[in-house]
Amino acid sequence: MPTPPPVEYKDASPQVRAVFDDIKASRNVPDVNNFWKFLARDPALIRKYDVAGPRYTSYPTADRFHTRFGAADARAAFELNRNTAADAPLSLYVHIPFCEQLCYYCACNKIITKHHERATAYLDALEAELALVLESLGSGRPISQLHFGGGSPTFLSDEELTRVMRTLTGAFRLTPGSEVSIEVDPRTVTPARLEHFRRLGFNRLSFGVQDFDPAVQQAVHRVQPYEQVQALVRPCPEAMLAAYAVGKAVGNVRNDGAGLIQPL
């Protein structure tokens, strides 16, 4: 199986560079591009970074959703925003909870089903909720960030995604240069579908990968060969996308030291 190219220091995010620098300082590593090998072999460093952190998948975070915050509180918050920051761009998250099968590592709010017709009632409810929000927030507000997450947003058909985007762009105004992103299950799309996403206005994709090791994929119940993902990613930069990301879970079941390093 082909192995993806290694992460280079110059291409890493600021957060990952900070880890690089920490490792280099503490271990006197001459080549920071080999940092994964040192990380996997340094128990003290692993313990340092083995701490709970915020989940990036939802904002507000899950513990902010509780029964003490009711409909009246939401309306008050929307009205306050409308009255004090009407011209400030908003960020909008759309949750599509459906997946055809369960990935064993997933802790997201999800509905496992192969009955795609269930999406119709969900989209009806989503439009009803949006109408209630607009009563307090106001329509035509600028949006600088729009993100579809899940679940698997690509559980929806092209027609259903078109319906959602038309509803949102009719209710809000995307600002020039806005980020419009969607989480993609590589098993549910083709290059033709990705082109349809581009026509809808999506300019960022996040491919759910987790691991390329076939044994790990079997263990976490998400089998998708490297070649399948590669066939989707390769045409992206020239065909449609401003940016793409690949989601990788570190420390999967069956990951020994070598199994941790190779996919990275």
Side-chain angles (χ1 to χ4, degrees), residues 4-5 39 46 58 61 66 72 95-97 118 124 143 177 181 203 229:
L39 178 62
I46 291 175
S58 61
T61 50
H66 49 74
H95 189 75
I96 306 297
R118 295 184 64 178
D124 290 343
I143 295 288
S181 59
N203 54 32
V229 180

Side-chain angles (χ1 to χ4, degrees), residues 165-249:
M165 286 297 289
R166 285 177 177 169
T167 299
L168 295 176
T169 54
F172 299 101
R173 173 172 50 87
L174 288 174
T175 61
S178 57
E179 296 180 3
V180 186
S181 59
I182 183 170
E183 296 174 11
V184 174
D185 181 344
R187 300 167 300 177
T188 65
V189 298
T190 63
R193 286 205 78 190
L194 297 184
E195 172 61 22
H196 179 70
F197 297 168
R198 185 196 64 80
R199 291 196 298 269
L200 289 180
F202 290 102
N203 54 32
R204 293 174 181 265
L205 298 184
S206 177
F207 290 97
V209 169
Q210 315 315 322
D211 208 298
F212 287 122
D213 184 333
V216 174
Q217 291 184 354
Q218 289 283 351
V220 301
H221 203 222
R222 189 181 179 111
V223 177
Q224 49 190 33
Y226 171 69
E227 293 82 3
Q228 182 181 31
V229 180
Q230 183 186 49
L232 296 170
V233 171
R234 272 186 168 173
C236 287
E238 54 189 61
M240 55 175 299
L241 292 176
Y244 65 86
V246 175
K248 167 72 177 77

Side-chain angles (χ1 to χ4, degrees), residues 111-127:
I111 298 171
I112 307 302
T113 181
K114 293 185 181 295
H115 294 280
H116 284 249
E117 66 274 10
R118 295 184 64 178
T120 300
Y122 185 82
L123 297 184
D124 290 343
L126 187 66
E127 292 177 356

Side-chain angles (χ1 to χ4, degrees), residues 14-27:
Q15 294 85 352
V16 173
R17 287 190 188 187
V19 179
F20 285 176
D21 296 337
D22 191 357
I23 293 172
K24 186 175 181 180
S26 64
R27 300 285 295 176

Side-chain angles (χ1 to χ4, degrees), residues 93-172:
Y93 172 73
V94 180
H95 189 75
I96 306 297
F98 302 106
C99 297
E100 284 199 356
Q101 70 178 43
L102 176 66
C103 300
Y104 294 155
Y105 55 82
C106 182
C108 298
N109 186 345
K110 56 194 173 293
I111 298 171
I112 307 302
T113 181
K114 293 185 181 295
H115 294 280
H116 284 249
E117 66 274 10
R118 295 184 64 178
T120 300
Y122 185 82
L123 297 184
D124 290 343
L126 187 66
E127 292 177 356
E129 180 184 7
L130 178 60
L132 291 173
V133 169
L134 293 178
E135 288 179 3
S136 302
L137 187 65
S139 60
R141 299 286 302 274
I143 295 288
S144 61
Q145 292 179 314
L146 172 59
H147 180 68
F148 282 57
S152 298
T154 51
F155 178 94
L156 298 183
S157 67
D158 288 353
E159 292 75 18
E160 288 165 336
L161 280 170
T162 300
R163 170 186 172 182
V164 178
M165 286 297 289
R166 285 177 177 169
T167 299
L168 295 176
T169 54
F172 299 101

